[in-house]
Structures are given as C-alpha cells and as structure tokens.
C-alpha cells in the first residue's frame, strides 16, 4: 500500500502544471532580435563604425579653431614683436630700448580656418571607413539572423519536450494498465507472479522516464527564455510548429548578411591598398587666420589677418610607404580568400540543408507508419493478453516497440521542422520570413 501511495504522490507532483508565459514563434523571434545581448553588441559596433566613417569625413571638412595665448617676457625679440603686434612700437634714437626692453605682456586671440584641398590618402580612408560601416551593419543583420534561428531552435526544443512528456505520460498510463492486468491474472490464478514483478519493473522504468521528460521540459522552457533575451524564468509555447510554415521559396546564398559583411570587408581592404599607394602623391591645403593682440586682456584689438597655402610632398620616408603598401596588399589578398572560403562553405551548407530536409521528410513519413503499425499491434496483443491467449513477455516486447516508435516520431517531426527552418537560415532569409517588413537595412 505504501508503494502505491508514493507512486501516486510522485505522479501528482510531476503532473502538476507549472505556470509559464506562453508566446508565439513570432513573439519569440522578435524578442530575440531585440533583446539578445550579442545582437545589441553587434548593433553598437555598427553604430561605432558609422561614427568612425563620419569622423573620417570630418578630416576633409573645414577646421575652425579659436586659440588664446598669453605671453609675458623681456626677451628683446619677443618684446619687439609684441609691441609691433599691439601697434604700440615707438622708434628710438638709441638701441637701448630694443636691447634692454621692459617686461611686456600680450594676449593673442586667434581665429584660424584650415582646409584640405587635395589628399588622396584621406579620400580613400573615407571610402574605407564607409565600407567598414556597411560591413558592420551587415554583421549586425547576421547577428539578428543567428538570434532568430536560436530562438526558433529553443521554441522547437520546447515543442519536442512537450511531445516527449506527453508520450511519457501516455506510456505511464499504459504501464499502469499493464500492471493491473498482470495482478488481476495472478489473483485469478491464470498468471505468474514473475509476470507481475516484470510489470512492476517496467512501470518503474517508465516512471523514471517520465521524471526525466518533466525535467527536460522545464529546462527547455528556461532555454527558450534565455534565447529570447530574458534574464530568467520559464516561457512556454502557444502552438506547435509544422513543416508547412517553411514551405515557400528558398532564398539564395547571395542574401546572407555574413557574406555581404565579408564582401564589404574585402572592398575596404582594397581601398586601404589604394590609400597606401596614394601616399606617393602630394597634399595641398590652405589656411586663413584673424588675430588680435592686447597687453591687458583677450580681445581683437590691433587686429590683423593672414592667408596661406601649403604644398606637402614626402620624397623619402625611410621606406615606410613601400612597407605600408605591401602590408595593405597582403591584407587585401587575405580578405579575398576569406570571402571565397566563406562563400564555398555557405554554398555547401545550403546544399546540405536541402538534402537533410528531404531526408527528414522521408524519416517523418516512415515514423508515422511505424507508430500506426505499432499501435495496431499493441491493441491486438493487449486484447489477447487480457483473454489469456498471450504471454506478458510478448506484450512487453510490443509495448517497448511502441515506445520506440513514438519516440522516433517525436524526433522525426522536430527534425523535419528544424531542417526546413535551417534551409531559410542558410539562405539568409530567416528573419525576413518570420518578421516580414521588420528587417533592418543592412
């Protein structure tokens, strides 16, 4: 009697529902792409790259500077020029006022404008920064794809765990019924005690399986919460997924954001090489300034202006430009090779996803037939055993076959949905499929 009470208490505790928020796949994916920390990190890196591109462009825009300088000295040259700048120079018949001048003070207020006119290295640097920003945006878009696919996998994990849990619960009921029949046959004198003991052993195994399935379901719900970017808790699913969700045109690998990012990085490397080559060209710029000098306070008294142009051409820099060009050329070749390797891997991954989807469809169809046949066989043999026309070992064998067939069906269904979704992920259109109209510009 105590064994039955413990069993009933265990089943009641395991079967008691744990409340968890229910979400649809669309909600789970939207939460993942909005809340996952690695997605936010990628978007922050893209924003940083955008700012870096603007920073590079700012070097080609006019630079306006206001500068205040205070000088106090009795040095002859400085004293003379301070008096000249302040328009207070007084001529003397002797050199003493110039050789032994008094201590003078000067506030120089200068407003200066600098403008680059020609600098090809800077022009290529701006293009390189823009390519880098576009690559970072594409990288952020790919992180959204990864977050969405991760949430999809976690959602499907909850669905599979629910199916396994329901199957384990059904097996537990069938094991209880089998034990009841074995005990009834023993009481009626037509069954062996060994059959009853074997039925009890089988029921204990099913209970352990049910406990494991319950824990797996709890962990799957927590993984879904984590995949959605939540800090903790459990999240359940509203409705199971079917393979029909992904029966639409498969995008090509050219839409993959990670390949776009690598292509843009390769372009940036070529622009860096062009910038290195431009180091052999001269630079041209102009400057204009407006200044004032006052011995007592900052002001534009004794004002003056100046306009200048400059041409800078480095004729020899210790072979720095040659080495910079060699380095940039090597980096450009490396970026091209990385892009080629990734493109080939992406093509193979897409082909594999298509083949695995076909394989998963065949396995799912086979698993459906196997479950139907196993259920029919179990139904027939259970009737024969109840009528005393069959042994318990035969029924246990059929029951085990039914359990395996149901487990295979659960795995096959989940594998089919996963394989269909993987096709769109490898094609780069997973977010576009599940969140149409919400794809951020790459």
């Amino acid at each position: 009697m105590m064994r039955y009470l413990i069993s009933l208490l265990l089943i009641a505790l395991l079967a008691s529902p744990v409340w968890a928020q229910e979400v649809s796949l669309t909600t789970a994916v939207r939460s993942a792409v909005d809340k996952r920390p690695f997605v936010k990190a990628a978007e922050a890196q893209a924003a940083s790259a955008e700012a870096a591109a603007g920073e590079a462009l700012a070097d080609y825009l006019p630079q306006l500077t206001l500068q205040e300088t205070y000088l106090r000295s009795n040095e002859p040259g400085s004293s003379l020029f301070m008096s000249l700048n302040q328009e207070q120079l007084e001529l003397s018949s002797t050199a003493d006022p110039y050789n032994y001048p008094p201590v003078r003070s000067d506030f120089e207020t200068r407003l200066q404008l600098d403008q680059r006119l020609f600098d090809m290295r800077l022009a290529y640097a701006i293009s390189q920064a823009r390519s880098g920003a576009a690559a970072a945006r594409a990288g952020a878009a790919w992180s959204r794809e990864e977050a969405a696919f991760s949430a999809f996998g976690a959602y499907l994990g909850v669905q599979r765990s629910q199916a396994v849990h329901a199957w384990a619960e059904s097996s537990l009921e069938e094991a209880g019924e089998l034990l009841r029949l074995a005990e009834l046959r023993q009481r009626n004198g037509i069954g062996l005690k060994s059959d009853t003991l074997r039925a009890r052993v089988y029921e204990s195994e099913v209970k352990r399986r049910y406990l494991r399935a319950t824990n797996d379901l709890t962990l799957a719900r927590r993984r879904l919460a984590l995949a959605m970017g939540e800090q903790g808790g459990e999240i359940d699913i509203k409705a199971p997924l079917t393979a029909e969700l992904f029966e639409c045109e498969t995008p090509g690998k050219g839409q993959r954001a990670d390949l776009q990012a690598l292509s843009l990085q390769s372009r940036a490397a070529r622009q860096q090489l062009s910038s290195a080559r431009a180091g052999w060209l001269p630079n041209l710029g102009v400057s204009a300034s407006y200044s004032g000098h006052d011995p007592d306070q900052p002001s534009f008294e004794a004002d003056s202006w100046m306009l200048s142009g400059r041409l800078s051409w480095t004729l020899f820099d210790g072979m720095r430009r040659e080495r910079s060009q060699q380095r940039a050329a090597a980096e450009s070749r490396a970026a091209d090779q990385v892009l080629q390797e990734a493109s080939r891997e992406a093509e193979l991954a897409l082909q594999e996803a298509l083949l695995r989807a076909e394989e998963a469809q065949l396995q799912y169809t086979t698993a459906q037939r196997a479950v139907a046949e196993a259920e029919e066989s179990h139904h027939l043999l259970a009737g024969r055993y109840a009528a005393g026309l069959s042994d318990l070992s035969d029924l246990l064998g059929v029951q085990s076959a039914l359990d395996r067939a149901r487990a295979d069906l659960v795995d096959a269904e989940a594998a089919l949905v996963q394989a269909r979704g993987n096709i769109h992920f490898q094609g780069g259109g997973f977010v576009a499929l599940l969140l149409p109209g919400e794809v951020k510009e790459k």
Side-chain angles (χ1 to χ4, degrees):
M1 178 63 67
M2 181 62 65
R3 182 180 64 83
Y4 287 108
L5 291 177
I6 295 176
S7 299
L8 291 174
L9 179 61
L10 176 63
I11 295 174
L13 290 175
L14 294 178
S16 59
V18 178
W19 182 88
Q21 177 188 1
E22 294 184 350
V23 298
S24 64
L25 177 60
T26 301
T27 301
V29 169
R30 183 181 293 110
S31 177
V33 300
D34 290 340
K35 295 182 179 180
R36 286 296 295 271
F38 79 93
V39 176
K40 292 183 177 180
E43 292 176 346
Q45 291 172 353
S48 174
E50 290 277 4
E55 184 179 359
L57 178 61
D59 289 337
Y60 231 132
L61 298 177
Q63 305 294 317
L64 186 61
T65 306
L66 177 63
Q67 181 178 352
E68 183 66 40
T69 303
Y70 174 72
L71 180 62
R72 183 175 177 81
S73 173
N74 67 346
E75 184 182 32
S78 299
S79 178
L80 176 61
F81 280 106
M82 277 191 279
S83 61
L84 281 173
N85 289 333
Q86 294 171 5
E87 300 176 356
Q88 294 179 358
L89 178 63
E90 296 180 359
L91 297 179
S92 174
S93 58
T94 66
D96 290 344
Y98 308 119
N99 292 329
Y100 308 103
V103 177
R104 294 183 185 274
S105 298
D106 181 49
F107 287 91
E108 180 188 34
T109 305
R110 180 176 296 273
L111 185 64
Q112 179 153 342
L113 175 68
D114 295 294
Q115 173 65 60
R116 296 175 187 260
L117 297 181
F118 180 81
D119 189 342
M120 287 305 299
R121 292 193 63 179
L122 183 57
Y124 285 118
I126 294 173
S127 299
Q128 180 185 353
R130 287 173 173 171
S131 297
R137 288 196 302 270
W142 181 247
S143 71
R144 288 165 56 85
E145 291 283 337
E146 291 178 322
F149 191 68
S150 175
F152 160 71
Y155 191 100
L156 192 59
V158 175
Q159 176 178 326
R160 181 186 179 280
S161 296
Q162 285 182 344
V164 171
H165 188 269
W167 155 63
E169 186 175 11
S170 176
S171 295
L172 186 60
E173 295 176 357
E174 292 172 350
E177 176 63 17
L178 191 150
L179 177 59
R180 186 190 67 82
L181 291 176
E183 292 175 340
L184 179 62
R185 284 168 57 89
Q186 182 183 357
R187 286 195 300 269
N188 293 335
I190 59 176
L192 301 176
K193 183 177 180 180
S194 60
D195 290 344
T196 303
L197 294 176
R198 292 179 61 186
R200 289 174 180 172
V201 171
Y202 178 74
E203 185 189 38
S204 298
E205 293 177 354
V206 173
K207 287 179 180 177
R208 290 195 295 270
R209 186 189 306 159
Y210 182 78
L211 175 61
R212 184 170 58 250
T214 302
N215 291 335
D216 289 343
L217 178 58
T218 299
L219 292 175
R221 289 169 174 168
R222 293 178 180 177
R223 291 191 188 98
L224 178 57
L226 180 63
M228 291 175 57
E230 302 294 338
Q231 294 184 355
E234 298 180 19
I235 296 182
D236 208 345
I237 63 175
K238 277 188 175 180
L241 305 178
T242 61
E244 288 74 16
L245 175 64
F246 301 101
E247 288 184 352
C248 57
E249 184 177 356
T250 303
K253 66 181 180 62
Q255 295 184 6
R256 285 184 54 143
D258 60 334
L259 296 183
Q260 293 181 8
L262 290 175
S263 177
L264 290 166
Q265 290 172 5
S266 178
R267 182 200 298 178
R270 291 192 299 270
Q271 291 165 340
Q272 182 181 6
L273 176 58
S274 299
S275 179
R277 291 170 177 168
W280 297 93
L281 300 177
N283 299 328
L284 183 63
V286 295
S287 297
S289 65
Y290 174 69
S291 62
H293 295 266
D294 193 296
D296 300 319
Q297 61 185 5
S299 70
F300 279 100
E301 294 294 330
D303 58 332
S304 60
W305 59 270
M306 181 175 60
L307 180 65
S308 64
R310 64 185 181 278
L311 173 66
S312 174
W313 197 342
T314 302
L315 301 180
F316 181 74
D317 61 354
M319 306 294 289
R320 181 182 298 274
R321 286 172 295 189
E322 289 82 351
R323 298 295 180 261
S324 176
Q325 188 172 329
Q326 292 172 3
R327 174 178 56 81
E331 292 178 354
S332 178
R333 292 193 302 271
D336 289 340
Q337 294 303 316
V338 169
L339 176 60
Q340 289 186 27
E341 182 72 17
S343 298
R344 294 171 183 175
E345 290 181 355
E347 178 65 28
L348 176 60
L350 182 58
Q351 293 175 358
E352 181 182 4
L354 293 170
L355 291 175
R356 295 302 183 190
E358 294 177 1
E359 175 186 340
Q361 180 63 59
L362 293 175
Q363 290 180 348
Y364 178 64
T365 303
T366 303
Q368 284 181 314
R369 289 199 300 265
V371 169
E373 294 169 356
E375 288 178 345
E376 179 65 19
S377 178
H378 179 271
H379 175 71
L380 294 175
L381 200 59
R384 290 177 58 83
Y385 178 75
L389 302 177
S390 178
D391 295 333
L392 179 64
S393 59
D394 297 333
L395 183 57
L396 286 176
V398 171
Q399 181 66 50
S400 298
L402 177 59
D403 290 340
R404 289 194 300 271
R406 288 171 174 171
D408 291 341
L409 179 59
V410 170
D411 291 337
E413 184 177 16
L416 177 59
V417 179
Q418 179 80 20
R420 292 280 183 85
N422 189 43
I423 293 176
H424 291 271
F425 174 68
Q426 297 298 338
F430 194 79
V431 174
L433 174 66
L434 297 181
L435 301 178
E438 297 186 21
V439 180
K440 293 186 178 180
E441 183 182 356
K442 301 176 196 176

